[in-house]
């Protein structure tokens, strides 16, 4: 039978859980990744596919993953063992936990490098390094990319910060920090949207790029990227929300909290897009500039605004915090497992996983400069890790989670965790049993060239 409480503790309230889970969802994915992949994939039509994936695949799977966590009450690996025993199913399901742990490690390795860019930009803003000249701004970004030393330094700073929070446990100071930082980030995004409006014609160009769908821009790869991003941005498919769910007191509605989290996450992403694309058009930049997009556009806005240096510092500080609250959810599954199964203290578990992830991250930092020529399947290390995790591992993990709750767990047990009115429960069941797994499978098989 399911345990009633996790050995790692519990969230102090429903609100605390919403903050932590929103903290995990809102991060670089919304502000850095969403705009640049939207730019690379032609805009509006891509945004629509992404929104459809959030609704039809993301939200149902978020509910599924959270309920598994709350019922299993342990790290994802042990939760899967417990739940498959409860359902008289094959114990091999616990490998799904391992797939998630691996995905978390691989994601954090590159996530930390990008968060390092944001750290570097705090300092740039402080030294008055932002300019209203798009060329100067781009040169400054390129020079950061060309410096392995700086990239590794900032990556190290971010990893140390992440692991020192994880060491203290999921609750310690974190709940309070998120409470202040998330609304502040939202406020600054609104300031940036306000600035974007002042670009006149470019503002409307930006909006129509984001919201006028042109489906000729969409191919199978774009659909895979949009679907993968729905998992990435909601933090699904690798056990992060499962482990957060395992600290969720019973009696709190998983469905409602999931809707809040997905809603907040989507709003932040769209605001980031609305802030950035007008700047792209106002300054004659390329929407498809790639991973550097926000670092080549936002500094122009700060360079132009009165008091822009201050807004610039604030913005990048908040971005670093948003990244931190996401990063901790990426390592929590492995740390929880090391504590449960190896008897490590949280401190030891954190240091050990931190060092391994840091080392992998160094190779990502090098992939932007000295190792940029090293390619596998025509992708450098950064692109490879990103593709492997966001486009393959997360959707595969999400598919298995949907199948597990939809087909393997006993309906009675699922109902116990969800406690929903019959027709909502039935609607959700259709999504986790059929819609979500079938969509993921179709997209993956199509991209793999099966049909
Ligand atoms: N959702 C975060 C972002 O958008 C990243 C993240 C946190 C994540 N936890 C995750 C991605 C778990 C995948 C899986 O920045």
């Amino acid at each position: 039978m399911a345990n009633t409480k996790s050995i790692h503790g519990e969230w102090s309230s429903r609100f605390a859980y919403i903050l932590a889970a929103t903290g995990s969802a809102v991060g670089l994915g919304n502000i850095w990744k969403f705009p640049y992949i939207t730019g690379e994939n032609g805009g509006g039509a891509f945004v629509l596919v992404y929104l459809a994936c959030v609704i039809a695949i993301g939200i149902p799977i978020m509910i599924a993953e959270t309920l598994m966590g709350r019922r299993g009450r342990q790290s994802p690996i042990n939760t899967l063992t417990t739940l498959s025993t409860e359902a008289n199913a094959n114990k091999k399901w616990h490998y799904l936990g391992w797939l998630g742990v691996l995905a978390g490690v691989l994601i954090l390795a590159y996530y930390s490098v990008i968060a390092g860019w944001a750290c570097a930009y705090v300092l740039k803003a402080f030294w008055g390094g932002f300019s209203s000249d798009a060329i100067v701004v781009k040169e400054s970004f390129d020079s950061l990319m060309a410096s392995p030393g700086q990239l590794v330094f900032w990556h190290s700073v971010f990893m140390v910060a992440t692991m020192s929070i994880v060491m203290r446990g999921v609750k310690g100071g974190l709940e309070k920090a998120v409470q202040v930082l998330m609304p502040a980030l939202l406020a600054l995004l609104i300031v940036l949207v306000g600035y974007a409006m002042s670009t006149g014609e470019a503002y409307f160009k930006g909006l129509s790029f984001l919201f006028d769908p042109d489906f000729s821009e969409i191919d199978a790869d774009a659909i895979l990227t949009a679907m993968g991003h729905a998992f990435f941005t909601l933090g699904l498919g690798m056990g992060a929300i499962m482990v957060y769910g395992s600290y969720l007191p019973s009696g709190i509605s998983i469905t409602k909290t999931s809707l809040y989290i997905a809603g907040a996450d989507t709003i932040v992403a769209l605001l980031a897009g609305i802030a950035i694309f007008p700047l792209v058009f106002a300054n004659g930049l390329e929407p498809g500039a790639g991973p550097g997009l926000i670092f080549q556009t936002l500094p122009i806005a700060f360079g132009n605004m009165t008091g822009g240096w201050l807004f610039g510092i604030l913005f990048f500080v908040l971005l670093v915090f948003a990244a931190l609250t996401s990063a901790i959810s990426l390592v929590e599954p492995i740390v929880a497992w090391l504590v449960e199964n190896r008897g490590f203290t949280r401190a030891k578990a954190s240091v050990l996983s931190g060092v391994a992830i840091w080392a992998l991250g160094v190779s990502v930092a090098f992939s932007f400069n000295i190792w940029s020529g090293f390619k596998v399947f025509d992708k450098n290390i950064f692109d490879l890790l990103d593709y492997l995790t966001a486009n393959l591992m997360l959707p595969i993990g999400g598919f298995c989670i949907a199948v597990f709750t939809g087909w393997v767990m006993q309906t009675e047990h699922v109902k116990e965790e969800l406690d929903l009115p019959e027709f909502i429960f039935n609607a959700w069941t259709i999504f986790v049993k059929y819609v979500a797994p079938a969509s993921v499978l179709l997209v993956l098989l199509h991209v793999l060239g099966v049909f």
Side-chain angles (χ1 to χ4, degrees):
M1 206 49 222
N3 307 327
T4 49
K5 212 168 176 177
S6 160
I7 60 161
H8 309 280
E10 265 195 354
W11 303 110
S12 54
S13 66
R14 181 178 99 120
F15 188 58
Y17 165 73
I18 294 182
L19 284 174
T22 312
S24 156
V26 174
L28 296 173
N30 307 61
I31 291 168
W32 158 76
K33 194 172 182 191
F34 170 72
Y36 100 73
I37 57 176
T38 299
E40 284 180 339
N41 289 285
F46 178 84
V47 174
L48 272 187
V49 177
Y50 150 76
L51 290 175
C53 290
V54 166
I55 294 170
I57 304 174
I59 294 174
I61 291 184
M62 180 181 258
I63 296 172
E65 190 174 334
T66 316
L67 85 84
M68 285 174 67
R70 185 163 73 185
R71 195 163 184 88
R73 289 275 184 232
Q74 301 147 79
S75 71
I77 296 168
N78 293 330
T79 282
L80 274 149
T81 308
T82 303
L83 294 184
S84 44
T85 310
E86 187 184 57
N88 291 322
N90 195 321
K91 301 274 188 330
K92 292 217 172 72
W93 276 101
H94 85 277
Y95 288 115
L96 173 56
W98 281 109
L99 177 75
V101 162
L102 182 64
V105 165
L106 299 181
I107 293 174
L108 187 52
Y110 74 83
Y111 201 83
S112 169
V113 174
I114 312 291
W117 301 358
C119 297
Y121 269 63
V122 173
L123 215 65
K124 263 195 213 284
F126 183 77
W127 293 118
F130 292 168
S131 157
S132 52
D133 184 340
I135 305 207
V136 176
V137 168
K138 181 166 185 330
E139 278 170 356
S140 157
F141 177 74
D142 291 344
S143 84
L144 176 64
M145 287 311 104
S147 163
Q150 285 188 51
L151 293 185
V152 169
F153 173 76
W154 291 113
H155 157 57
S156 314
V157 169
F158 185 81
M159 269 319 289
V160 169
T162 304
M163 300 324 293
S164 42
I165 299 179
V166 172
M167 241 182 233
R168 296 199 175 92
V170 271
K171 289 206 299 180
L174 189 78
E175 288 187 11
K176 278 201 197 70
V178 185
Q179 214 158 328
V180 183
L181 297 169
M182 303 275 287
L185 181 65
L186 194 65
L188 261 186
L189 271 179
I190 292 171
V191 170
L192 282 170
V193 169
Y195 177 80
M197 284 180 179
S198 75
T199 59
E201 205 185 316
Y203 178 64
F204 294 101
K205 259 198 175 160
L207 283 189
S208 84
F209 181 78
L210 266 178
F211 298 114
D212 249 352
D214 172 0
F215 282 94
S216 68
E217 296 277 349
I218 291 284
D219 56 13
D221 271 323
I223 295 177
L224 177 67
T225 307
M227 183 180 80
H229 187 64
F231 284 101
F232 185 92
T233 189
L234 296 172
L236 300 181
M238 53 69 61
I241 198 84
M242 195 183 293
V243 93
Y244 277 22
S246 75
Y247 310 142
L248 185 62
S250 25
I252 292 176
S253 162
I254 290 177
T255 314
K256 274 193 208 145
T257 50
S258 299
L259 287 172
Y260 288 138
I261 297 160
D265 186 76
T266 308
I267 290 172
V268 173
L270 293 178
L271 282 176
I274 297 173
I276 285 154
F277 285 105
L279 295 175
V280 170
F281 296 112
N283 293 285
L285 299 168
E286 269 301 313
L293 187 67
I294 69 159
F295 297 94
Q296 293 167 16
T297 47
L298 293 181
I300 306 175
F302 296 127
N304 267 321
M305 273 180 218
T306 5
W309 64 276
L310 186 62
F311 283 127
I313 295 176
L314 271 177
F315 177 82
F316 284 106
V317 167
L318 291 171
L319 185 58
V320 171
F321 274 99
L324 268 176
T325 57
S326 299
I328 54 180
S329 77
L330 287 162
V331 264
E332 186 61 23
I334 177 74
V335 169
W337 182 81
L338 286 171
V339 172
E340 286 165 13
N341 290 43
R342 289 282 173 269
F344 288 10
T345 57
R346 269 196 87 86
K348 188 170 169 198
S350 306
V351 172
L352 214 82
S353 21
V355 169
I357 294 168
W358 174 84
L360 189 59
V362 169
S363 73
V364 176
F366 290 170
S367 75
F368 292 101
N369 37 66
I370 48 178
W371 289 358
S372 61
F374 176 75
K375 294 197 168 166
V376 183
F377 296 120
D378 208 27
K379 291 180 180 344
N380 66 25
I381 300 174
F382 162 72
D383 290 326
L384 193 68
L385 286 185
D386 178 43
Y387 192 89
L388 204 68
T389 53
N391 292 6
L392 300 177
M393 295 171 89
L394 299 180
I396 291 172
F399 171 86
C400 295
I401 287 166
V403 169
F404 192 84
T405 43
W407 297 94
V408 178
M409 280 178 76
Q410 292 170 26
T411 315
E412 279 322 299
H413 295 160
V414 176
K415 270 195 175 147
E416 248 172 63
E417 294 302 325
L418 291 187
D419 191 22
L420 286 172
E422 194 68 22
F423 75 100
I424 302 185
F425 182 82
N426 291 340
W428 172 79
T429 307
I430 293 176
F431 277 89
V432 280
K433 268 194 155 163
Y434 308 101
V435 181
S439 319
V440 174
L441 204 63
L442 280 178
V443 176
L444 285 179
L445 292 181
H446 187 58
V447 170
L448 294 176
V450 178
F451 68 91

